[in-house]
Amino acid sequence: MSDSRPIILKIGGSAITDKTGELAAKTEIINRLAEEIKRADLDNLIVVHGGGSFGHPTALKYGLKDGYNEDPTQKLGFAETHHVMTVLNGLVMDAMIWHEIAAVSIAPSSCFLTENGKIKVFDETVLKALQKMSFTPVMYGDAVLDEKLGFTILSGDQLVAYLAIKYNASKIVIGTDTDGIFDADPKTNPDAKPYKKLTLAELKAIQPKLGKAQGKDVTGGMAGKIAALIPAIEAGVHVTVTGATKGLSIYRALTDQSVLGTEIEKT
Ligand code: ATP
Ligand code: IP8
């Protein structure tokens, strides 16, 4: 049983899917990430993955992020978005279990409620029980019910920040498809320069340089990710943003080794 502070890993949808396509999973990367998680051998890990080309296209098509607008097709869109997230989650779970990780998935739509897009209610009973037995809980960005909007999209990044604050995480590792945070989107600007280290004040100062995701996305790309993570950084949680598409960066970050990427500290 684990009583230690959790480590929270976000596996970005940009790393495990092709966000310029639809329902386009990168199964080799999912498999390698499961191998890295197994190798890290942590009994206090919480994994959260993003939506990539599974959740984002349907969330965008039905305008789910801004809430229910009385268009009945949106309800089907809500159901479809949650469903395709369970499909991507199934691929992640397949890889984790194949690598003999005792991972158990928890659907955020069943235990979180938001209010105007911010987490308002979390029934932590199952998560706590899983943690107590050192299972590896796995959550994901999801379509969730919202007390003011009817429903919305809860990003994996907001989930990560919330869980990190609530459970006093020792660190957050964010795996995406770029080697950290750059002074411009490296996908569209070949001269973009990476930041190795940022304090909270420096991070806030460079927020205008953070852009959208490539492809379909409803949670704001790197700009949205950092905005969602700031409350956890303010609470003193260390954040590493690194590439998850190649090498061993996730294993190295999870085990406190240096990685190509950006380290963020409050001061
Ligand atoms: P998902 O939301 O599907 O889980 P993710 O969390 O992996 O995906 P995205 O929301 O797609 O990440 O955001 C990452 C993307 O942000 C990168 O692929 C990159 O194109 C874009 N980006 C924009 N500005 C920057 C920047 N300054 N530095 C790094 N990446 C940036
Ligand atoms: O990919 C959003 O979570 P994110 C998930 O972590 C959906 O931003 C359903 C679009």
Side-chain angles (χ1 to χ4, degrees):
M1 295 205 191
S2 172
D3 290 319
S4 57
R5 295 167 67 191
I7 294 174
I8 307 195
L9 169 64
K10 162 89 191 286
I11 302 177
S14 67
I16 58 171
T17 73
D18 173 3
K19 287 183 77 160
T20 62
E22 289 203 9
L23 305 178
K26 295 188 171 173
T27 47
E28 276 175 30
I29 292 178
I30 294 174
N31 200 45
R32 190 182 38 70
L33 288 170
E35 205 174 303
E36 291 187 48
I37 293 167
K38 174 68 180 174
R39 187 163 161 186
D41 191 25
L42 302 168
D43 70 353
N44 53 358
L45 180 68
I46 300 175
V47 177
V48 176
H49 67 79
S53 63
F54 284 69
H56 288 279
T58 46
L60 186 67
K61 178 174 168 196
Y62 294 99
L64 302 185
K65 180 94 170 82
D66 295 336
Y68 183 47
N69 60 20
E70 311 290 325
D71 172 355
T73 65
Q74 276 192 308
K75 285 192 188 166
L76 190 57
F78 178 90
E80 188 180 333
T81 301
H82 168 65
H83 173 64
V84 292
M85 285 309 303
T86 69
V87 173
L88 178 59
N89 179 248
L91 298 177
V92 172
M93 301 313 291
D94 271 352
M96 304 245 292
I97 287 156
W98 198 77
H99 282 90
E100 299 184 352
I101 300 164
V104 179
S105 126
I106 302 176
S109 53
S110 301
C111 55
F112 283 92
L113 278 178
T114 54
E115 183 178 61
N116 283 323
K118 299 277 171 260
I119 293 170
K120 166 100 181 288
V121 176
F122 171 42
D123 180 349
E124 63 177 348
T125 321
V126 171
L127 177 71
K128 296 248 326 182
L130 287 174
Q131 280 182 305
K132 202 169 168 205
M133 291 185 69
S134 296
F135 280 102
T136 301
V138 182
M139 295 191 179
Y140 45 87
D142 204 356
V144 297
L145 297 175
D146 185 288
E147 288 187 355
K148 290 270 159 56
L149 303 172
F151 47 61
T152 190
I153 297 297
L154 172 60
S155 76
D157 298 304
Q158 191 190 148
L159 263 176
V160 161
Y162 178 89
L163 295 171
I165 295 167
K166 186 169 180 72
Y167 299 116
N168 188 24
S170 59
K171 67 178 164 192
I172 292 172
V173 175
I174 301 284
T176 181
D177 71 339
T178 60
D179 290 324
I181 303 175
F182 288 67
D183 62 1
D185 185 347
K187 294 264 198 71
T188 50
N189 187 336
D191 298 325
K193 305 267 178 315
Y195 296 104
K196 273 188 181 319
K197 277 196 171 154
L198 290 169
T199 62
L200 177 61
E202 288 166 344
L203 182 69
K204 286 184 174 171
I206 62 125
Q207 271 186 290
K209 296 174 190 249
L210 308 177
K212 298 185 296 203
Q214 302 291 305
K216 291 182 177 152
D217 185 278
V218 298
T219 51
M222 189 54 81
K225 176 185 302 306
I226 294 305
L229 289 171
I230 279 177
I233 302 164
E234 281 170 344
V237 185
H238 179 101
V239 176
T240 304
V241 183
T242 188
T245 56
K246 55 187 182 327
L248 278 174
S249 295
I250 295 303
Y251 163 73
R252 290 180 62 87
L254 290 175
T255 52
D256 290 330
Q257 301 179 61
S258 62
V259 289
L260 200 57
T262 309
E263 305 288 349
I264 310 166
E265 291 276 13
K266 188 174 179 185
T267 50

